[in-house]
């Protein structure tokens, strides 16, 4: 019986044939559509490591900008042993299993306060996780018998979210961010983390869980968050994490008290 081969040590993109490195790249340059702009687009592609780039599409965007699509082979490859991946370290639970885990671990409801902060008015993400109708055929956290959910909606000031988390005695604060211009999503989360630290000085603060399509799950520590979820996250991902993290934290606290 043949043993399936594992992944290769390094990979390149696949276009027409294996390992040919072919990619398609699109971008806009702040130049009127003219031969100079097209030449600049090809030079940019070569500088980025694309070998013999082909300009397969070019069109003006207004009078001062041009949009390009470039096709070619990248000279780079990815060494897989250097890639950082945030693996899920907890089991994915059903709604019933989450409820049982929370009730046994906490002995009460798990309180979740969620919002879109700053100027972000995109509630699709936070509603998909919190609202009972959920997302991708999965019920949101409002469906869980073990959770009490407070959804503050859109454009919530950081200070207001922190105040509400304190008054609700939140176990977890969930934040969804879709607005990413000038890295606003990163700045907002860092501000929220700092405000939570200040409000809960000397006390255990709620878990800070962040999600959005432009977040890198590996950035949790850098942002001061406990967990970062990226594109494609579903309610059971978040519910399973909360059940795992909070019951584990409660067990660790009980162990500390018994050791005193």
């Amino acid at each position: 019986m043949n043993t399936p081969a594992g992944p290769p040590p390094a990979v390149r993109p696949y276009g027409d044939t294996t390992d040919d490195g072919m990619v398609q790249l699109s971008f806009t340059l702040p130049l009127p559509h003219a031969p100079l702009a097209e030449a600049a687009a090809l030079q940019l592609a070569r500088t980025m490591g694309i070998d013999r780039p082909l300009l397969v599409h070019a069109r003006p965007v207004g009078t001062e900008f041009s949009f390009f699509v470039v096709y070619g082979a990248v000279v780079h490859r990815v060494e897989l042993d250097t890639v950082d991946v945030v693996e899920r370290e907890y089991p994915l639970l059903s709604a019933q299993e989450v409820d049982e885990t929370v009730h046994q671990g906490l002995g009460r409801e798990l309180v979740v306060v969620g919002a879109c902060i700053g100027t972000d008015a995109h509630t699709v993400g936070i509603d998909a996780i919190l609202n009972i109708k959920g997302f991708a055929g999965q019920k949101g956290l409002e469906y869980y018998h073990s959770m009490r959910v407070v959804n503050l909606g859109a454009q919530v000031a950081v200070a207001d979210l922190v105040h509400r988390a304190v008054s609700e005695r939140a176990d977890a604060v969930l934040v969804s961010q879709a607005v990413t211009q000038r890295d606003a999503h990163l700045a907002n989360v860092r501000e929220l983390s700092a405000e939570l630290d200040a409000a809960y000085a000397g006390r255990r603060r709620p878990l800070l869980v962040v999600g959005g399509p432009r977040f890198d799950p590996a950035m949790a520590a850098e942002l001061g968050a406990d967990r970062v979820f990226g594109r494609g996250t579903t309610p059971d991902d978040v519910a399973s994490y909360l059940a795992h993290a909070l019951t584990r934290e409660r067990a660790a606290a009980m162990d500390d008290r018994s050791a005193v």
Side-chain angles (χ1 to χ4, degrees):
M1 182 176 180
N2 294 329
T3 302
V11 294
R12 296 178 72 207
Y14 181 105
D16 300 315
T17 59
T18 301
D19 206 41
D20 62 8
M22 299 301 289
V23 298
Q24 181 171 289
L25 175 69
S26 62
F27 54 88
T28 301
L29 291 179
L31 294 170
H33 186 216
L36 173 62
E38 294 191 358
L42 290 172
Q43 182 168 321
L44 175 64
R46 285 188 288 268
T47 303
M48 295 174 68
I50 297 180
D51 187 32
R52 299 187 302 277
L54 298 174
L55 189 60
V56 297
H57 179 73
R59 66 175 177 84
V61 180
T63 59
E64 302 298 325
F65 297 86
S66 300
F67 175 77
F68 302 99
V69 177
V70 175
Y71 188 65
V74 293
V75 299
H76 309 295
R77 65 180 62 241
V78 177
E79 302 293 336
L80 295 184
D81 61 358
T82 67
V83 178
D84 292 327
V85 179
V86 178
E87 299 283 1
R88 178 163 49 82
E89 74 281 11
Y90 53 90
L92 201 59
L93 305 176
S94 67
Q96 180 178 347
E97 290 171 329
V98 167
D99 287 338
E100 291 174 352
T101 300
V102 171
H103 285 142
Q104 292 172 8
L106 293 183
R108 58 170 175 79
E109 287 184 318
L110 189 160
V111 181
V112 178
V113 177
C116 297
I117 55 177
T119 59
D120 202 326
H122 299 77
T123 62
V124 172
I126 196 70
D127 288 343
I129 301 301
L130 297 183
N131 287 2
I132 193 169
K133 65 182 179 181
F135 168 70
Q138 297 183 15
K139 300 292 187 181
L141 301 191
E142 289 179 346
Y143 173 78
Y144 291 74
H145 301 301
S146 60
M147 299 190 190
R148 181 168 66 84
V149 174
V150 180
N151 187 349
L152 301 182
Q155 296 183 318
V156 177
V158 166
D160 292 340
L161 175 55
V162 172
H163 176 76
R164 191 66 179 270
V166 172
S167 65
E168 297 285 352
R169 298 186 177 182
D171 296 295
V173 173
L174 269 58
V175 168
S176 174
Q177 292 277 263
V179 174
T180 60
Q181 283 85 349
R182 299 181 183 273
D183 286 338
H185 59 311
L186 305 182
N188 287 341
V189 172
R190 291 190 180 103
E191 180 186 354
L192 175 57
S193 177
E195 294 257 1
L196 285 171
D197 284 341
Y200 286 86
R203 297 179 291 159
R204 182 195 68 81
R205 80 174 198 183
L207 292 174
L208 176 54
V209 180
V210 180
R214 293 283 296 276
F215 281 107
D216 179 356
M219 295 183 68
E222 177 186 339
L223 296 176
D226 294 283
R227 190 78 176 193
V228 172
F229 288 99
R231 185 183 303 276
T233 299
T234 53
D236 66 338
D237 291 326
V238 179
S240 297
Y241 168 72
L242 293 177
H244 164 77
L246 288 168
T247 55
R248 180 188 59 184
E249 186 178 85
R250 176 70 175 269
M254 293 178 66
D255 288 343
D256 291 342
R257 285 197 296 269
S258 63
V260 175

